[in-house]
Amino acid sequence: MQQVAVLGSTGSIGVSTLDVIARHPQRFRAWALAANRSVDTLAAQCRVFQPRYAVMMDPDAADTLRAVLEGECDTEVLAGPEGLQQVASHAEVDAVMAAIVGAAGLPSTLAAAEAGKRLLLANKESLVMAGHLLMAAARKAGAVILPIDSEHNAIFQCLPAAQAGAPGLEGVSKILLTASGGPFRSWSAEAIAAATPAQACAHPNWSMGRKISVDSATLMNKGLELIEACWLFDVAPSRVDIVVHPESIVHSLVQYVDGSVLAQLGNPDMRTPIAYGLGWPQRIDAGVAPLDLVALSRLHFEAPDEARFPCLRLAREAAAASGTAMAVCNAANEIAVEAFLAGGIGFAAIPEVIEATLAAVSPVEPTSLNVVEAADRDAREVAAWHVARKGDRPNPGGEK
Ligand code: NDP
Ligand code: MG
């Protein structure tokens, strides 16, 4: 029986993870569940899965959850970052699903790596911000990182020696990262500039949380995934090509020196990579319908358009600048996306805020978590100032 801590259990990835766990009650136990403040959803999950611990980041939400569960189940309720770190590194935990969205997921993801857990990594932002620290911690503690992001899971499956847990790059010439192109793939630049949050969140193939849905619409998601691939597989950005594939059936590919190209295909359902991560090195049922190639009939591939989607260029530039530049890029993106979703800025302002923030915050060596978190804080402050200016709201921090 594997004891699993599901961090971000109330979100899109968290719910899919619990769906796979529920299909294998003899094999996995949801030992801990964690979220921010969705009390009702977490309470319902606790009633079904009876975890040992439930964690709410928000202390008031933790008090409410404790009161709601009183007398109903034996789950102990913890609060705040300490509670998250405690379950992520607890001796009884075998696997940690890191599915908190954004920079908020970094400390618990790092704690799981430092504790040598099987790390099911959905929270790509933690690798983008602190890839060096996270990979070093995993190496030192012997943590196996299983990528849950569908593209990286596909690449992991197509690399040599994936079954041994340390995929190498022998004979590999390129990694081909596929991108759906998002909901605005065929839209004009003018139409994209006027896009609403509802339109940006209406992904054609995947059902996901709102932040990653907007990232998919700007193509920042692919920029973050490029960096994610470089850290996970120890490759330079020049060895990763991005290919737009609107059907999201080929989840990514690995090209070898002899001309062979291996791909992983499947219906766009995150339960496939989640089941792969949970069951690895064995294959387990994910509840996903088999792929019907005849019904699909045709698959398409095209080059990404960096003119209409400047976020891809910005992520590449941040990767080239290295150091804390990616943490800055990530933080500015989180602030800009939040503002866009709240109606504070337009869609076209998202890359503008990121570019201005990258220009203002100089990268430094990411020598510790403190250094990365300081860069994250600085970038958020600068990005918030640019958001306020674009949204024509009062200037919170003065001229920067
Ligand atoms: P959702 O927005 O659906 O869920 C986010 C989860 O994180 C919720 O459980 C939320 O809790 C929790 N959370 C948010 N803020 C905090 C915080 N400060 N502290 C603790 N918990 C917090 O996101 P997704 O499931 O879509 O994405 C999760 C991660 O997985 C992201 O990093 C994303 O990039 C990655 N990913 C997602 C994919 C997908 O298909 N959805 C595909 C590939 C990667 P609450 O409900 O209380 O707010
Ligand atoms: Mg992905």
Side-chain angles (χ1 to χ4, degrees), residues 292-315:
D292 185 342
L293 285 173
V294 175
L296 279 168
S297 149
R298 282 185 175 77
L299 297 176
H300 298 84
F301 301 93
E302 60 194 44
D305 178 351
E306 292 194 10
R308 278 181 309 138
F309 300 100
C311 282
L312 205 46
R313 169 182 59 82
L314 294 173

Side-chain angles (χ1 to χ4, degrees), residues 27-370:
R27 199 168 176 144
F28 306 111
R29 176 177 178 218
W31 186 87
L33 302 177
N36 189 20
R37 56 170 76 100
S38 296
V39 171
D40 293 345
T41 309
L42 196 57
Q45 292 178 340
C46 287
R47 288 185 194 107
V48 174
F49 291 94
Q50 301 278 326
R52 171 90 181 75
Y53 290 107
V55 188
M56 298 249 71
M57 188 67 168
D58 182 290
D60 295 337
D63 289 343
T64 313
L65 182 68
R66 212 170 279 122
V68 168
L69 293 179
E70 180 78 44
E72 279 196 54
C73 51
D74 293 334
T75 300
E76 190 175 328
V77 178
L78 305 175
E82 303 78 23
L84 271 179
Q85 308 230 17
Q86 189 181 327
V87 298
S89 56
H90 199 287
E92 285 177 32
V93 168
D94 300 300
V96 174
M97 166 57 81
I100 290 174
V101 61
L106 174 58
S108 52
T109 304
L110 194 56
E114 284 167 350
K117 304 301 181 193
R118 171 188 288 224
L119 180 54
L120 310 183
L121 188 63
N123 175 242
K124 66 190 84 184
E125 294 91 344
S126 55
L127 259 186
V128 167
M129 291 174 72
H132 173 64
L133 299 175
L134 192 56
M135 296 310 286
R139 258 194 313 276
K140 188 168 170 209
V144 175
I145 300 183
L146 291 157
I148 298 303
D149 212 346
S150 58
E151 296 79 1
H152 305 76
N153 188 270
I155 295 161
F156 185 93
Q157 294 193 42
C158 296
L159 283 174
Q163 294 307 306
L169 291 170
E170 306 88 78
V172 171
S173 55
K174 280 239 152 147
I175 284 176
L176 309 177
L177 192 63
T178 52
S180 69
F184 307 145
R185 181 180 59 87
S186 55
W187 289 28
S188 68
E190 295 70 33
I192 292 173
T196 65
Q199 289 170 324
C201 288
H203 197 280
N205 308 329
W206 298 95
S207 158
M208 309 182 285
R210 280 162 70 76
K211 190 262 177 183
I212 186 177
S213 295
V214 178
D215 287 349
S216 297
T218 60
L219 288 204
M220 177 52 89
N221 185 47
K222 219 39 63 179
L224 301 179
E225 291 186 356
L226 167 72
I227 317 301
E228 186 184 8
C230 293
W231 284 117
L232 281 171
F233 307 119
D234 197 18
V235 289
S238 58
R239 285 179 78 189
V240 184
D241 281 355
I242 294 169
V243 184
V244 174
H245 163 49
E247 291 87 0
S248 299
I249 295 295
V250 177
H251 296 302
S252 277
L253 316 89
V254 174
Q255 179 183 299
Y256 286 83
V257 287
D258 63 2
S260 298
V261 178
L262 300 191
Q264 186 257 357
L265 282 71
N267 285 317
D269 187 323
M270 288 307 292
R271 289 176 302 172
T272 294
I274 290 167
Y276 184 87
L278 283 168
W280 178 90
Q282 289 165 358
R283 300 270 181 176
I284 60 171
D285 172 41
V288 176
L291 191 60
D292 185 342
L293 285 173
V294 175
L296 279 168
S297 149
R298 282 185 175 77
L299 297 176
H300 298 84
F301 301 93
E302 60 194 44
D305 178 351
E306 292 194 10
R308 278 181 309 138
F309 300 100
C311 282
L312 205 46
R313 169 182 59 82
L314 294 173
R316 276 192 195 282
E317 286 172 5
S322 77
T324 48
M326 274 313 300
V328 170
C329 179
N330 179 68
N333 181 54
E334 288 190 26
I335 293 293
V337 169
E338 203 178 285
F340 168 69
L341 284 171
I345 58 172
F347 191 82
I350 297 174
E352 291 168 8
V353 168
I354 299 168
E355 185 148 30
T357 307
L358 276 167
V361 184
S362 306
V364 295
E365 272 305 300
T367 45
S368 69
L369 184 57
N370 283 344

